[in-house]
Amino acid sequence: MDLTFNKNEDHNKLKLSELRRRLAEVKLGGGKKRIEKLHAQGKMSARERIDYLLDKNAPAIEIGAFAGDGMYAEHGGCPSGGVVVKIGYVKGKQCVVVANDATVKAGAWFPITGKKNLRAQEIAMENKLPIIYLVDSAGVYLPMQDEIFPDKEHFGRIFRNNAIMSSMGITQIAAVMGSCVAGGAYLPIMSDEALIVDKTGSIFLAGSYLVKAAIGESIDNETLGGATTHSEISGVTDYKAKDDKDALDRIKNIVDKIGDFEKAGYNRAEAKSPIDNPEDIYGLLPSSRSDQYDMLEIIKRLVDNSEFEQYKEGYGKTILTGYARIDGWAVGIVANQRKVVKTKQGEMQFGGVIYSDSADKATRFIANCNQKKIPLVFLQDVTGFMVGSKSEHGGIIKDGAKMVNAVSNSVVPKFTIVIGNSYGAGNYAMCGKAYDPRLIVAWPSAELAVMSGNSAAKVLLQIEKASLEKNGEPLDPEKEQALFDKIKQRYDDQISPYYAAARLWTDAIIDPLDTRKWISMGIEAANHAPIEKKFNLGILQV
């Protein structure tokens, strides 16, 4: 191992250590004291409920752990968006589980809470996975009601999705394990089956105080909408459980009896580990996002037997395309090559930049994968499309549009891993969030933005400098550097993978060694949903 490898390894392992530390903080939700308060009430925390429900020693992945990270400081914060979402196995069946975290503002819904719940439902609908709701929420967070209540992608969309999933035959099970009030009361009742926990669970459109104010009736919450009321009088719920564990055991029994599903038919062979050591990734991935490296070496440490069959290996070299297996599943990989390459004509092309020939190659390969029903994996480390007169005259916009068209119209499931840079239109062409990847995750080394912090700061500095000079306030070199540093720091904060994850532009930040698990579980989920559309590129400027 050389010195550069060791420096890279130290840098990336420090980033991984930071990821683990921040995840540990997030998993405490509203804090240890609030968790202890739940326990005193005879309740489990959201994470404890999910851990008890999911099969032991089976893999699971968490969606949106960093949702809300650094947001809503004036309201006390909203760790994990106040809701925990995992994809895992219940009695051997893959399911999506959504659990309100009552330690965060009593499980109230912030804007990011709604976005995260909608993401969970989107995953369930795209993959036709059963979805389980563990409800314990005070409803909409009233100080921000105008940002969560009325719009198309707000709170009400949840119930619309309940109805759509029911018509699609997607199993929905809800357990009311705490408060379930106002509009939120519709969620469990629009599910296929609903459970309620005695003494701690309650459902009503308006609580006792509001009932008193509205119609003058005096009644306690338990009589108004407790477990006995809804299990024996209103018939709103289907099962009454004595405590949290009893409710979760009943859910396991219900899921255990769900019939098999129609398969999409993605090819899977016996899984094999990579021959090249995956831990080498930490040393291969450079500490600087501008440094060059060979993406092929990363791919070899992600795929079964380290075997990667390249498509058009000698053409369009700044994008690598080819076939491989990940945990046995056949995949087509589209990856940005991050080293400088030489064309047959002797021209040098920059790594991480998409040229006309590489866009053309990727378009053809995506079409091939759709024809063969092979899921696509995008490995992003892209600075954008090549610029300049030569590229413009050569039709880079046209070729880039073809690639974006192919990604947009692809009908096989797509999975995106943001390894390094994810800048500008390169993010789009390499299947960014706007292009419906089934799952999109980032490594701790990722950066997502229109352009790098350094480039953006230079552009913004020139604009600011021109404005000041126009007003007769020229900058001396020292003040100019100070302004540049201030602008760059602000921009760098926004390109962090944590900034993206907080806003659900990605589903998670993961250890690179977990990449195989995420892709494998993602394809297994996608296998629940047979392809219903034909691949059609529409009209292209050829």
Side-chain angles (χ1 to χ4, degrees):
M1 299 297 176
D2 60 20
L3 184 59
T4 301
F5 185 98
N6 292 335
K7 286 182 177 179
N8 290 340
E9 186 175 43
D10 289 345
H11 174 84
N12 287 311
K13 286 190 173 179
L14 278 173
K15 281 192 169 290
L16 182 58
S17 179
E18 180 191 10
L19 171 62
R20 288 169 177 162
R21 177 185 60 78
R22 294 179 70 155
L23 275 173
E25 290 177 2
V26 158
K27 288 180 179 180
L28 290 174
K32 291 181 179 179
K33 287 186 177 179
R34 290 180 181 171
I35 294 173
E36 289 169 1
K37 185 177 178 181
L38 281 184
H39 291 166
Q41 297 170 349
K43 297 165 70 175
M44 304 164 76
S45 71
R47 291 183 179 278
E48 288 168 342
R49 287 166 175 166
I50 292 178
D51 288 345
Y52 184 85
L53 178 63
L54 295 180
D55 295 347
K56 300 295 179 285
N57 302 317
I61 53 179
E62 181 171 354
I63 304 296
F66 287 109
D69 184 57
M71 299 166 66
Y72 314 118
E74 67 276 23
H75 298 281
C78 187
S80 278
V83 62
V84 183
V85 176
K86 287 192 178 184
I87 303 174
Y89 300 86
V90 178
K91 292 291 185 177
K93 292 183 173 65
Q94 201 175 39
C95 301
V96 179
V97 185
V98 181
N100 300 114
D101 187 348
T103 70
V104 180
K105 289 287 191 294
W109 287 55
F110 283 70
I112 197 67
T113 317
K115 188 173 183 179
K116 186 169 175 179
N117 275 267
L118 288 170
R119 176 62 179 142
Q121 290 185 320
E122 179 182 43
I123 290 170
M125 286 190 285
E126 282 183 331
N127 300 291
K128 296 188 177 178
L129 288 179
I131 185 166
I132 299 164
Y133 308 100
L134 307 180
V135 185
D136 194 344
S137 172
V140 167
Y141 183 60
L142 291 178
M144 302 187 75
Q145 64 84 27
D146 61 320
E147 296 182 50
I148 184 59
F149 169 64
D151 210 344
K152 180 179 178 180
E153 300 302 330
H154 284 178
F155 191 64
R157 189 77 171 183
I158 304 291
F159 316 130
R160 175 263 189 194
N161 286 350
N162 288 143
I164 296 297
M165 281 191 280
S166 182
S167 72
M168 293 172 66
I170 297 171
T171 299
Q172 299 176 84
I173 301 167
V176 180
M177 310 180 85
S179 297
C180 185
V181 300
Y186 288 106
L187 185 146
I189 311 314
M190 293 188 73
S191 299
D192 301 318
E193 296 186 80
L195 306 85
I196 188 167
V197 178
D198 197 19
K199 306 307 181 198
T200 57
S202 58
I203 311 173
F204 32 68
L205 294 180
S208 56
Y209 292 125
L210 187 54
V211 168
K212 176 69 174 177
I215 64 174
E217 180 183 3
S218 296
I219 189 169
D220 64 89
N221 281 338
E222 182 65 24
T223 305
L224 179 67
T228 299
T229 295
H230 286 310
S231 297
E232 299 177 16
I233 299 173
S234 72
V236 164
T237 55
D238 305 307
Y239 308 92
K240 180 168 76 170
K242 61 183 180 181
D243 56 26
D244 280 8
K245 286 187 176 180
D246 184 36
L248 297 168
D249 285 335
R250 287 170 180 255
I251 292 173
K252 292 179 185 182
N253 291 335
I254 294 169
V255 173
D256 190 39
K257 297 171 180 64
I258 296 174
D260 202 0
F261 57 91
E262 183 183 354
K263 310 291 193 300
Y266 302 119
N267 184 292
R268 192 178 197 184
E270 181 185 353
K272 298 184 184 299
S273 298
I275 293 173
D276 294 337
N277 186 1
E279 292 201 7
D280 289 347
I281 288 172
Y282 302 127
L284 292 167
L285 195 64
S287 55
S288 170
R289 294 275 48 80
S290 60
D291 286 353
Q292 303 283 300
Y293 65 96
D294 190 351
M295 180 64 82
L296 186 59
E297 294 302 317
I298 301 290
I299 292 173
K300 288 178 180 179
R301 286 154 178 85
L302 295 176
V303 300
D304 291 13
N305 269 342
S306 298
E307 294 175 350
F308 180 57
E309 186 178 354
Q310 285 204 58
Y311 170 83
K312 288 186 177 289
E313 182 177 353
Y315 176 70
K317 292 182 179 181
T318 64
I319 285 184
L320 299 171
T321 53
Y323 303 104
R325 290 190 183 273
I326 292 178
D327 199 32
W329 294 104
V331 296
I333 294 176
V334 180
N336 302 111
Q337 175 57 288
R338 275 310 311 267
K339 68 176 185 178
V340 174
V341 298
K342 184 183 289 187
T343 68
K344 293 291 184 183
Q345 292 74 33
E347 296 176 345
M348 304 304 291
Q349 294 185 339
F350 298 105
V353 178
I354 302 175
Y355 290 77
S356 285
D357 55 355
S358 48
D360 175 64
K361 176 171 83 170
T363 301
R364 290 166 179 257
F365 181 71
I366 291 167
N368 282 348
C369 287
N370 274 271
Q371 186 180 50
K372 298 173 184 175
K373 203 159 72 170
I374 300 173
L376 284 160
V377 174
F378 292 83
L379 303 179
Q380 283 196 8
D381 195 343
V382 58
T383 53
F385 287 88
M386 191 58 190
V387 297
S389 60
K390 185 174 182 180
S391 290
E392 297 293 359
H393 297 170
I396 184 65
I397 295 175
K398 176 182 65 177
D399 291 317
K402 289 180 189 176
M403 184 175 173
V404 170
N405 192 316
V407 172
S408 302
N409 286 297
S410 178
V411 297
V412 296
K414 306 183 292 274
F415 302 90
T416 302
I417 316 296
V418 186
I419 290 176
N421 302 332
S422 181
Y423 296 155
N427 169 281
Y428 303 158
M430 291 295 294
C431 197
K433 183 67 182 290
Y435 292 82
D436 295 327
R438 296 293 176 99
L439 295 170
I440 176 170
V441 297
W443 289 2
S445 48
E447 292 184 355
L448 289 85
V450 171
M451 62 183 75
S452 71
N454 196 58
S455 298
K458 287 179 180 177
V459 173
L460 293 170
L461 175 65
Q462 291 306 311
I463 295 170
E464 184 71 17
K465 187 179 176 182
S467 177
L468 289 169
E469 289 175 349
K470 186 178 180 181
N471 294 325
E473 303 175 37
L475 287 174
D476 60 42
E478 188 176 324
K479 287 183 179 179
E480 184 174 329
Q481 184 62 46
L483 181 57
F484 174 84
D485 291 341
K486 181 180 177 181
I487 294 170
K488 186 175 184 302
Q489 180 59 55
R490 185 175 69 241
Y491 199 86
D492 282 347
D493 289 341
Q494 294 182 2
I495 68 177
S496 159
Y498 295 95
Y499 191 92
R503 289 151 183 80
L504 290 172
W505 301 343
T506 60
D507 291 317
I509 305 171
I510 67 167
D511 181 342
L513 301 190
D514 286 334
T515 303
R516 283 169 55 84
K517 178 177 75 171
W518 274 79
I519 294 171
S520 177
M521 287 188 67
I523 298 175
E524 183 181 347
N527 206 33
H528 287 72
I531 297 172
E532 296 175 350
K533 295 194 307 181
K534 288 186 177 181
F535 178 64
N536 187 339
L537 284 179
I539 297 174
L540 288 176
Q541 295 283 347
V542 295

